[in-house]
Amino acid sequence: MSEYKKKFVLDEERIPKAWYNIVPDLPEPPAPPLNPATLQPAGPDDLLPIFPPSIVAQEVSAERYIEIPEEVHQIYRLWRPSPLIRATGLEKALDTPARIFYKHEGVSPAGSHKCNTAVAQAYYNKLDGTTRLATETGAGQWGSALSMACQTFGLECKVYMVKVSYHQKPYRRSMMQLWGADVVASPTDQTNAGRAVLAEDPESLGSLGIAISEAVEDAVTHPGSKYSLGSVTNHVLLHQTVIGEEAILQSQDADAYPNVVVGCVGGGSSFGGLAFPFLRENLAGRAKTRLVAVEPTACPSITKGAFTYDFGDEAATTPLFKMYTLGHDYMPPGIHAGGLRYHAMAPLLSHVCNLGLMDAVAVRQTKVFDVAALFAQTEGIIPAPESAHAIRVAVDEALKAKEEGVARNILFNLTGHGLLDLSAYDAYLSGKLEDYDHPEEEIAASIARLPKVE
Ligand SMILES: *Cc1c(COP(=O)(O)O)cnc(C)c1O
């Protein structure tokens, strides 16, 4: 164990010099986004009002590798390479022959993987002359990561925070404010999108879809401003591939190349980032790693949703993307405590699942919190509830290995720590969490309301 750690912790040489774009290696290209008015493929021109040119170039890039600028690399070095840790305590508790490893992304300044793309996006916006970024945040991880990155590069930052979280997660708000951001509870009365929601329901607790609509509207109506997104899009998945590239080197160093790679999926960026470099190895015939995306039964976009064109936001203002979706008017139930609430899944990750190159499973939240507690008790680290979805499936895989009596290397993504999610743990400890399966009829009804494209 000690020898294993010495080999690579804090070795700067292990931070990749380039991000990996999986698009040119896929057996079929992903379907293009469509302009909702013309239903014609949306090109760079459709994206330029909201994103700066260098980000748009990455969004549509067909280059296999994109160099990480030195300025970004330098900031990555504050916490990267993130450690790859063997969960020996958890293995012992499970009495499994499997070896369980986790990539610990909770060591970043804001406490999650989201800093990997926040820093890159702030850098490119600065380079292209943006002075101010607008964004949305649900539980606050993305907003805090972007606030930190904007502070680093001297950009203003406006964050539309989903109202229910704004009140439930005051410390995330404090972090953003400490890093200089202007944080408001969405829906607000500052945008047309927000006012429309409030007119219908003055008590609205907000949703990620509503907050996205507000932030996009803000960006296009304020000079010098652009919009920034923390997941879902191709460029975000691209930036997150530092996770997978590091994990490949580290697992080779540890002589423990994974048989199974597991990650939670909300918008799909952290798992795309971990899994795509491993998928490259699979596609090149160098490995046969099983890739498993884990989602909550309360928001089962891949396992129960439709693979079809839908909007990225509640107000139906974004281009149409072909992706697994529950319908853009999906509202997460109040009882759901584990995050991962986005109505759809990254188009690139959706495409990979649809091609059969990645598996997906949905898990119930009480079972997720059970293993979150077990992980905290055996490994010391309190995981983000989102990350605990991956722990659930990693544990199930380890128990299966025990049943079958086979040794197997399991790697999962610990996307963040849970030190600011203790209210969810309180709900768990006091027995208030209930399981919820999003009803199929509701999904079907929502899908039926979508624009007919094909
Ligand atoms: C945002 C977040 C997620 C989900 O987002 P993805 O884009 O699917 O990665 C998972 N874990 C943590 C800790 C997060 O902050």
Side-chain angles (χ1 to χ4, degrees):
M1 185 67 188
S2 58
E3 190 198 345
Y4 156 80
K5 276 200 164 173
K6 235 182 343 205
K7 272 192 205 157
F8 46 72
V9 168
L10 300 184
D11 181 352
E12 287 174 12
E13 292 300 311
R14 308 311 259 175
I15 309 174
K17 295 278 189 282
W19 294 298
Y20 169 59
N21 178 12
I22 197 165
V23 171
D25 287 336
L26 290 174
E28 279 173 40
L34 302 180
N35 179 310
T38 62
L39 297 187
Q40 293 305 304
D45 286 351
D46 294 274
L47 299 173
L48 284 166
I50 57 171
F51 297 124
S54 17
I55 292 290
V56 172
Q58 293 185 351
E59 185 61 24
V60 300
S61 174
E63 293 286 317
R64 184 170 283 113
Y65 291 100
I66 293 175
E67 198 186 331
I68 301 175
E70 172 54 25
E71 290 87 340
V72 173
H73 210 264
Q74 205 177 338
I75 297 169
Y76 277 177
R77 277 176 236 151
L78 290 175
W79 73 93
R80 307 209 69 85
S82 69
L84 180 80
I85 301 172
R86 183 164 172 195
T88 45
L90 181 62
E91 288 173 15
K92 207 164 150 211
L94 298 173
D95 187 26
T96 174
R99 294 197 288 177
I100 307 174
F101 295 84
Y102 57 95
K103 184 75 171 144
H104 188 5
E105 290 295 313
V107 297
S108 84
S112 78
H113 68 280
K114 292 201 171 73
C115 291
N116 299 331
T117 186
V119 167
Q121 291 190 47
Y123 168 78
Y124 286 114
N125 271 283
K126 182 77 179 182
L127 195 70
D128 288 346
T130 306
T131 57
R132 176 178 174 278
L133 285 176
T135 197
E136 73 288 334
T137 195
Q141 284 109 330
W142 169 241
S144 50
L146 191 68
S147 303
M148 182 281 289
C150 283
Q151 179 79 283
T152 302
F153 286 103
L155 298 170
E156 283 179 58
C157 186
K158 172 98 178 207
V159 183
Y160 291 84
M161 185 172 188
V162 177
K163 192 177 275 171
V164 59
S165 305
Y166 185 90
H167 295 298
Q168 278 177 1
K169 314 240 162 166
Y171 297 129
R172 287 269 172 209
R173 171 166 35 99
S174 309
M175 286 169 78
M176 293 185 254
Q177 289 167 336
L178 196 55
W179 277 315
D182 177 10
V183 190
V184 288
S186 164
T188 72
D189 59 3
Q190 301 173 17
T191 65
N192 288 330
R195 283 188 291 269
V197 173
L198 290 175
E200 254 189 36
D201 177 11
E203 304 301 315
S204 168
L205 294 176
S207 74
L208 216 43
I210 296 168
I212 294 175
S213 305
E214 290 209 271
V216 170
E217 183 182 330
D218 174 305
V220 298
T221 52
H222 288 76
S225 293
K226 291 288 177 196
Y227 169 65
S228 174
L229 196 54
S231 185
V232 182
T233 46
N234 296 350
H235 64 271
V236 177
L237 272 65
L238 174 80
H239 300 151
Q240 294 297 353
T241 57
V242 288
I243 306 173
E245 294 288 24
E246 283 177 11
I248 286 182
L249 293 179
Q250 291 170 319
S251 57
Q252 284 169 341
D253 281 353
D255 202 12
Y257 195 89
N259 304 100
V260 189
V261 171
V262 183
C264 63
V265 286
S269 71
S270 56
F271 194 52
L274 174 63
F276 286 176
F278 285 101
L279 181 53
R280 172 190 62 211
E281 301 304 302
N282 284 356
L283 290 169
R286 290 188 287 266
K288 279 190 186 158
T289 302
R290 217 178 111 225
L291 308 169
V292 188
V294 189
E295 56 188 15
T297 55
C299 188
S301 50
I302 309 179
T303 51
K304 293 261 183 75
F307 184 55
T308 188
Y309 274 103
D310 192 7
F311 295 99
D313 69 329
E314 158 87 17
T317 56
T318 68
L320 290 164
F321 297 97
K322 187 151 188 196
M323 55 191 175
Y324 283 101
T325 178
L326 302 171
H328 61 276
D329 50 8
Y330 161 82
M331 278 298 249
I335 185 74
H336 178 61
L340 309 173
R341 292 180 171 87
Y342 188 57
H343 70 269
M345 189 49 56
L348 203 45
L349 197 103
S350 293
H351 179 60
V352 162
C353 286
N354 189 248
L355 289 173
L357 301 173
M358 180 183 279
D359 296 338
V361 294
V363 291
R364 300 206 167 98
Q365 68 174 353
T366 53
K367 295 265 190 267
V368 165
F369 277 85
D370 285 345
V371 295
L374 177 66
F375 188 78
Q377 288 152 9
T378 55
E379 293 296 314
I381 297 168
I382 297 174
E386 291 89 344
S387 316
H389 287 74
I391 304 178
R392 176 72 259 171
V393 171
V395 164
D396 291 342
E397 286 287 325
L399 293 174
K400 200 166 78 190
K402 179 178 169 180
E403 240 175 65
E404 295 167 2
V406 290
R408 204 173 272 153
N409 296 324
I410 301 166
L411 166 64
F412 74 86
N413 214 2
L414 187 70
T415 51
H417 68 66
L419 295 177
L420 291 166
D421 301 295
L422 295 179
S423 55
Y425 280 97
D426 271 347
Y428 169 71
L429 290 170
S430 57
K432 289 199 191 104
L433 288 190
E434 284 165 35
D435 289 326
Y436 174 82
D437 291 16
H438 190 56
E440 309 214 6
E441 315 80 73
E442 231 175 273
I443 300 170
S446 185
I447 299 296
R449 289 192 287 270
L450 293 179
K452 299 282 169 289
V453 173
E454 290 151 311

